[in-house]
Amino acid sequence: TTSGLVPQWSSTQKTLTTGLTVGTAANNLVQLDGNAKLPAVDGSQLTNVVRNICVYIDNKDSAIETGIKAKVCIDYACTIQSVTLHGSPSGSIVVDIWKTAYANLPAVVGNSITASAKPTISSGIKYQDVTLSGWTTSISADDWLYFNVDSCTTMTNCSIDLKVVTV
């Protein structure tokens, strides 16, 4: 770079010209720092970023009891792509997920997003659903998700992972 500008190829003149400003302001070309890292920039407008919403339930040495086990505020808009459960020891668990806006807290069973396809491990240790038939998959920024255990036998811990993509 020369004086904070990056040479730009002019296809009409077939020459290099200056014109792309390096920096972190609007319309600047972002440049890695001396440690090959991005400088601090606002990423709030990034979309199509795959993220995970993870909840871990642990009841030590006893089977997980029914009821609400976690409440999580999601501060970005996204769409759920899949759900994965992994628990131990081998057993069965049914988890329902409720969603509501902050203004409507608390979430209740009527706010279920899973329809009749609740994430369920049946006599095993894992479950995955990438179809999400009947699910409400859209999440708005600042929605709350409640994770409710409907039933459980034997299993003492379980991880719930929602794969989402930002919108």
Side-chain angles (χ1 to χ4, degrees):
T1 66
T2 305
S3 303
L5 297 176
V6 174
Q8 182 177 9
W9 177 254
S10 170
S11 59
T12 55
Q13 297 175 1
K14 309 287 189 222
T15 59
L16 288 176
T17 60
T18 56
L20 297 177
T21 303
V22 174
T24 57
N27 301 314
N28 286 175
L29 180 65
V30 178
Q31 181 178 11
L32 299 179
D33 67 15
N35 295 316
K37 294 183 180 183
L38 285 171
V41 293
D42 176 13
S44 64
Q45 300 300 312
L46 292 175
T47 59
N48 295 318
V49 176
V50 176
R51 299 180 73 170
N52 293 71
I53 300 168
C54 301
V55 170
Y56 182 70
I57 303 167
D58 190 347
N59 203 35
K60 307 249 185 234
D61 298 323
S62 301
I64 297 169
E65 297 174 359
T66 60
I68 297 168
K69 299 301 170 190
K71 303 171 185 179
V72 180
C73 179
I74 310 304
D75 64 355
Y76 51 89
C78 58
T79 302
I80 303 170
Q81 294 186 319
S82 68
V83 61
T84 303
L85 304 183
H86 173 51
S88 68
S90 183
S92 299
I93 190 167
V94 177
V95 178
D96 197 3
I97 304 169
W98 308 340
K99 177 188 78 160
T100 193
Y102 174 80
N104 299 327
L105 287 172
V108 295
V109 69
N111 300 124
S112 176
I113 64 170
T114 61
S116 61
K118 294 178 183 178
T120 302
I121 297 175
S122 193
S123 299
I125 62 164
K126 61 185 178 178
Y127 167 87
Q128 187 171 62
D129 182 358
V130 297
T131 312
L132 307 175
S133 294
W135 278 48
T136 300
T137 58
S138 65
I139 298 174
S140 298
D142 299 321
D143 274 352
W144 281 78
L145 297 181
Y146 281 36
F147 295 82
N148 187 76
V149 174
D150 286 356
S151 65
C152 181
T153 56
T154 311
M155 201 165 282
T156 61
N157 64 74
C158 183
S159 178
I160 305 159
D161 180 59
L162 298 177
K163 180 178 171 183
V164 301
V165 63
T166 59
V167 293

